[in-house]
Amino acid sequence: MKTIKFEKWQGLGNDFIILTEEKATPELAKIMCDRNFGIGADGLFSPRKTENTDIGWDFFNSDGSIAQMCGNGIRCFAKFARAHNLVNKDEFSVETLAGTIIPRILHDGRVRVDMGKPVFEAKKIPVNTDTPQDFEIEGFSASAVSMGNPHCIIFTEGDSKKLAREYGAKIEPHPLFPQKTNVEFVRIENPSKMRLDVYERGCGITLACGTGACAATVAGVLKGLLNDTVKVELPGGELTIEYKDKNVYMTGDATKVFEGEFYLKE
């Protein structure tokens, strides 16, 4: 048996395993994230040293696929890195596959993250349409935005929770999205508040998606449906998203749940 030390963290119920000594791999992600035979989580990551940023991470979805970015995950990672003195300041740079992300730990324990600029160019999202901000998929009018990972945003007046469960698995692997996609069903309550339910790429239905909240806010602002600062209500809690000066900022909580040792058969 091999002993692997870990910590379990969650951001709005989006939960993650962080390895304290081992390097995250696709194989470990599939084993440790399994909710029946493992610990159970939406993703697995581990810190690593970098040349051009304060710190970096290796991050995989629960199915072992590579995750370019995760909004709830980056808040958990930021507090983990600070708690373990992997960084010595409250605002620092993190190297991700989506580029450099800047989290800042606030006095109240929440984390405000500069998520960078959204991507609208179809080839870079990527999505196979000439009109990424207005196309049809599975009978819905949709928008595509990348926050370092692809998102398909559908605004609805219906039951967003029911729709995510009914259509998420159909849209995630749709041929329009060559790298698959996260799927968000959004119900706008007023210009400063919306409800979001998500089917995450590589995870399925989750309680929250930080990058999804960012992408949906951007799409709503572009359509004239939302203000530039929005409260996003997700099944696991609430995020504040700001879309200002062409950058997106996300603020929300992150909490350590427990730590332990995982016994891996060799």
Side-chain angles (χ1 to χ4, degrees), residues 120 122 125 127-136 142-144 223:
F120 305 112
I125 292 175
V127 58
N128 295 323
T129 176
D130 294 329
T131 57
Q133 297 309 303
D134 185 16
F135 62 97
E136 185 171 306
S143 298
K223 289 180 177 295

Side-chain angles (χ1 to χ4, degrees), residues 4-5 7 10 24-25 57 92 98 109 138 141 143 154 157 189 206 212 214 219 221 225 228:
I4 299 177
K5 293 183 179 180
E7 292 185 3
Q10 64 87 16
T25 66
W57 70 2
F92 50 92
E138 292 292 326
S141 176
S143 298
I154 298 169
E157 295 182 357
E189 303 294 336
T206 59
C214 293
V221 171
L225 302 174
D228 60 9

Side-chain angles (χ1 to χ4, degrees), residues 193-220:
K193 185 178 181 180
M194 65 181 179
R195 162 80 186 196
L196 185 150
D197 287 274
V198 61
Y199 189 98
E200 284 200 56
R201 181 181 64 165
C203 297
I205 294 293
T206 59
L207 294 179
C209 179
T211 55
C214 293
T217 298
V218 169

Side-chain angles (χ1 to χ4, degrees), residues 21-243:
E21 297 176 357
E22 295 287 326
K23 176 181 171 63
T25 66
E27 293 74 25
L28 278 178
K30 288 185 281 189
I31 293 168
M32 297 181 74
C33 292
D34 190 291
R35 296 190 183 276
N36 294 306
F37 298 101
I39 297 162
D42 294 321
L44 173 77
F45 45 81
S46 60
R48 58 178 170 83
K49 294 181 179 180
T50 64
E51 293 184 0
N52 301 314
T53 60
D54 294 309
I55 195 170
W57 70 2
D58 291 308
F59 181 30
F60 300 94
N61 292 313
S62 59
D63 66 355
S65 61
I66 294 173
Q68 292 100 331
M69 181 52 195
C70 177
N72 293 314
I74 199 70
R75 297 198 315 277
C76 293
F77 183 76
K79 293 187 73 172
F80 168 87
R82 191 70 177 94
H84 285 264
N85 293 315
L86 301 178
V87 293
N88 58 7
K89 49 191 175 182
D90 290 334
E91 182 172 313
F92 50 92
S93 56
V94 181
E95 183 180 87
T96 77
L97 292 179
T100 300
I101 303 297
I102 311 293
R104 176 161 60 93
I105 301 172
L106 305 178
H107 294 302
D108 62 5
R110 294 184 302 158
V111 183
R112 186 174 190 262
V113 185
D114 181 348
M115 299 289 287
K117 292 177 172 58
V119 175
F120 305 112
E121 187 178 338
K123 290 183 179 179
K124 293 182 179 180
I125 292 175
V127 58
N128 295 323
T129 176
D130 294 329
T131 57
Q133 297 309 303
D134 185 16
F135 62 97
E136 185 171 306
I137 188 167
E138 292 292 326
F140 297 99
S141 176
S143 298
V145 175
S146 172
M147 289 302 307
N149 53 358
H151 293 271
C152 179
I153 303 106
I154 298 169
F155 293 97
T156 180
E157 295 182 357
D159 186 332
S160 57
K161 179 179 179 180
K162 180 180 178 181
L163 290 171
R165 280 157 174 74
E166 185 174 352
Y167 289 95
K170 299 177 183 178
I171 295 175
E172 182 212 21
H174 197 281
L176 279 175
F177 290 91
Q179 296 180 11
K180 298 186 178 181
T181 186
N182 299 281
V183 186
E184 286 83 28
F185 281 89
V186 183
R187 182 181 177 92
I188 296 176
E189 303 294 336
N190 60 61
S192 297
K193 185 178 181 180
M194 65 181 179
R195 162 80 186 196
L196 185 150
D197 287 274
V198 61
Y199 189 98
E200 284 200 56
R201 181 181 64 165
C203 297
I205 294 293
T206 59
L207 294 179
C209 179
T211 55
C214 293
T217 298
V218 169
V221 171
L222 292 181
K223 289 180 177 295
L225 302 174
L226 294 171
N227 297 331
D228 60 9
T229 300
V230 180
K231 298 290 185 183
V232 183
E233 179 186 337
L234 301 118
E238 187 178 87
L239 291 172
T240 299
I241 308 297
E242 305 163 72
Y243 182 35

